[in-house]
Amino acid sequence: MTDLAIAANGLRKAYGDKTVLDGIDIQVPAGTIFALLGPNGAGKTTAVKILSTLVSADAGTGAVHIGGHDLAADPQGVRASIGVTGQFSAVDGLITGEENMLLMADLHHLSKGEGRRVAAELLERFDLTEAAKRPASTYSGGMKRRLDIAMTLVGDPRIIFLDEPTTGLDPRSRRTMWQIIRELVAGGVTVFLTTQYLEEADELADRIAVLHNGTIAAEGSAEELKRLVPGGHVRLRFTDPDAYRGAARDLREVTRDDESLTLQLPNGGSQSELRALLDRLDAAGIEADELTVHTPDLDDVFFALTGGADVTDQTDLTDQTKETVR
Ligand SMILES: Nc1ncnc2c1ncn2[C@@H]1O[C@H](COP(=O)(O)OP(=O)(O)O)[C@@H](O)[C@H]1O
Ligand SMILES: [Mg+2]
């Protein structure tokens, strides 16, 4: 398995008659960050659970190697080489951060002294030393996530699965998490992360796979994915609702955002394309209050690949409820 930390071929999983993963291939070179990108319900957690031996793929499908171990023949070997931080926290709120860490050390059969040393070191590394003696239920969302990752690192895994590590975090905690993930990889660890955020995949991942309808709709570096979209877009913002509605009616091929009174049109942003657009606006008597030019970003890729509608429509309320309960 040369230098692939994760190699999966034709991974398939159905629940009842609902196909969640319809034969996906994943290859993650050792020491890199791989992002599985998709909206709620796309099958990200299912993929993580299969790859981390928590759920079995459908019989007779696919071959998976993790850290050189065959998932079907040697699940123990796989388990020994990975760490998993789930979408929903493994932190026990009733005991302190330190006690959570020591519990993990016990699970990994570290001696008392070694366990204390590793726990102290990781708590320090994730800026939790001061909070170590407080019940974890008193921690902020960001602190809980940091503790969760610290717990995953007790066994010193070389391959780490992070299922939506920043969902629900405030922007500052998100940046801290990104920094933590970069440091992990700098230390030689391989990271498989899932995210709903294009920005996050763009920011962190060496390779990104877009999960859509049970298959990988596209795969590549952020740059490669962006090249799939021929051009960027122009946004026109209005302050007068009537002017907005009129413009939306007159212009074809626009994406409307009725709340912010903004129209989005495909446009490559070159001088000639912009001039053509301005001429068109003038001819139609349309005057926007603001015009901005956007080069293609991962959002454009996602919309191009998935036909647009899915990203915000598929809000999974059960997930959000769980988030607030924990
Ligand atoms: N244990 C299960 N039994 C039945 N359906 C499931 C189970 N786990 C997940 N699903 C369904 O599989 C689909 C993918 O879920 P999941 O992998 O959690 O998606 P994501 O993590 O991308 O939000 C969803 O439609 C979900 O309802
Ligand atoms: Mg999930």
CSV table of all heavy atoms in Angstrom, one decimal, residues 15 18 20 39-46 87, ligand 1:
chain,number,residue,atom,x,y,z
A,15,TYR,N,-29.2,1.8,3.6
A,15,TYR,CA,-30.0,1.6,4.8
A,15,TYR,C,-31.4,1.3,4.3
A,15,TYR,O,-32.0,2.2,3.7
A,15,TYR,CB,-30.1,2.8,5.7
A,15,TYR,CG,-28.8,3.0,6.5
A,15,TYR,CD1,-28.0,4.1,6.3
A,15,TYR,CD2,-28.4,2.1,7.5
A,15,TYR,CE1,-26.8,4.3,7.0
A,15,TYR,CE2,-27.2,2.3,8.2
A,15,TYR,CZ,-26.4,3.4,7.9
A,15,TYR,OH,-25.3,3.5,8.7
A,18,LYS,N,-32.7,2.8,0.9
A,18,LYS,CA,-32.0,4.0,0.7
A,18,LYS,C,-30.5,3.8,0.5
A,18,LYS,O,-29.8,3.4,1.4
A,18,LYS,CB,-32.3,5.0,1.8
A,18,LYS,CG,-31.7,6.4,1.5
A,18,LYS,CD,-32.0,7.3,2.7
A,18,LYS,CE,-31.1,8.6,2.6
A,18,LYS,NZ,-31.2,9.3,1.3
A,20,VAL,N,-27.0,5.1,0.5
A,20,VAL,CA,-26.3,6.3,1.0
A,20,VAL,C,-25.0,6.5,0.2
A,20,VAL,O,-24.7,7.6,-0.2
A,20,VAL,CB,-26.1,6.1,2.5
A,20,VAL,CG1,-25.3,7.3,3.0
A,20,VAL,CG2,-27.4,6.0,3.2
A,39,PRO,N,-23.4,18.4,1.8
A,39,PRO,CA,-24.4,19.0,2.7
A,39,PRO,C,-24.9,17.9,3.7
A,39,PRO,O,-24.5,16.7,3.6
A,39,PRO,CB,-25.6,19.4,1.8
A,39,PRO,CG,-25.4,18.5,0.6
A,39,PRO,CD,-23.9,18.2,0.5
A,40,ASN,N,-25.7,18.3,4.6
A,40,ASN,CA,-26.3,17.4,5.6
A,40,ASN,C,-27.0,16.2,4.9
A,40,ASN,O,-27.7,16.4,3.9
A,40,ASN,CB,-27.4,18.1,6.4
A,40,ASN,CG,-26.9,18.3,7.8
A,40,ASN,OD1,-26.2,17.5,8.4
A,40,ASN,ND2,-27.2,19.5,8.4
A,41,GLY,N,-26.8,15.0,5.4
A,41,GLY,CA,-27.5,13.9,4.8
A,41,GLY,C,-26.8,13.3,3.6
A,41,GLY,O,-27.2,12.3,3.0
A,42,ALA,N,-25.6,13.8,3.2
A,42,ALA,CA,-24.9,13.4,2.0
A,42,ALA,C,-24.3,12.0,2.2
A,42,ALA,O,-24.1,11.3,1.2
A,42,ALA,CB,-23.9,14.4,1.6
A,43,GLY,N,-24.0,11.6,3.5
A,43,GLY,CA,-23.4,10.4,3.7
A,43,GLY,C,-22.0,10.5,4.3
A,43,GLY,O,-21.2,9.5,4.3
A,44,LYS,N,-21.6,11.6,4.7
A,44,LYS,CA,-20.2,11.9,5.2
A,44,LYS,C,-20.0,11.0,6.5
A,44,LYS,O,-18.9,10.3,6.6
A,44,LYS,CB,-20.0,13.4,5.6
A,44,LYS,CG,-20.3,14.3,4.4
A,44,LYS,CD,-20.0,15.8,4.8
A,44,LYS,CE,-20.9,16.3,5.8
A,44,LYS,NZ,-22.3,16.3,5.5
A,45,THR,N,-20.9,11.1,7.5
A,45,THR,CA,-20.7,10.3,8.7
A,45,THR,C,-20.7,8.8,8.4
A,45,THR,O,-19.9,8.1,9.0
A,45,THR,CB,-21.8,10.7,9.7
A,45,THR,OG1,-21.6,12.1,10.0
A,45,THR,CG2,-21.6,9.9,11.0
A,46,THR,N,-21.5,8.4,7.5
A,46,THR,CA,-21.6,7.0,7.1
A,46,THR,C,-20.2,6.6,6.6
A,46,THR,O,-19.7,5.5,7.0
A,46,THR,CB,-22.6,6.8,6.1
A,46,THR,OG1,-23.9,7.2,6.6
A,46,THR,CG2,-22.7,5.3,5.7
A,87,GLN,N,-18.8,13.4,15.0
A,87,GLN,CA,-19.6,14.6,14.8
A,87,GLN,C,-20.2,15.1,16.1
A,87,GLN,O,-20.3,16.2,16.4
A,87,GLN,CB,-20.7,14.4,13.7
A,87,GLN,CG,-21.5,15.6,13.4
A,87,GLN,CD,-22.4,15.3,12.2
A,87,GLN,OE1,-22.5,14.2,11.7
A,87,GLN,NE2,-23.1,16.3,11.8
B,1,LIG,N1,-28.3,4.0,11.1
B,1,LIG,C1,-29.0,4.5,10.1
B,1,LIG,N2,-30.2,3.9,9.7
B,1,LIG,C2,-30.9,4.4,8.7
B,1,LIG,N3,-30.5,5.5,8.0
B,1,LIG,C3,-29.4,6.1,8.3
B,1,LIG,C4,-28.5,5.6,9.4
B,1,LIG,N4,-27.5,6.4,9.5
B,1,LIG,C5,-27.6,7.4,8.5
B,1,LIG,N5,-28.7,7.2,7.8
B,1,LIG,C6,-29.2,8.0,6.6
B,1,LIG,O1,-28.1,8.0,5.7
B,1,LIG,C7,-28.0,9.3,5.1
B,1,LIG,C8,-26.7,9.8,5.3
B,1,LIG,O2,-26.4,10.1,6.7
B,1,LIG,P1,-25.1,10.7,7.2
B,1,LIG,O3,-24.0,9.7,6.8
B,1,LIG,O4,-25.2,10.9,8.7
B,1,LIG,O5,-24.9,12.0,6.4
B,1,LIG,P2,-24.0,13.3,6.8
B,1,LIG,O6,-23.0,12.9,7.8
B,1,LIG,O7,-23.4,13.7,5.4
B,1,LIG,O8,-25.0,14.4,7.2
B,1,LIG,C9,-29.1,10.1,5.7
B,1,LIG,O9,-30.2,10.1,4.9
B,1,LIG,C10,-29.4,9.4,7.0
B,1,LIG,O10,-30.8,9.6,7.4
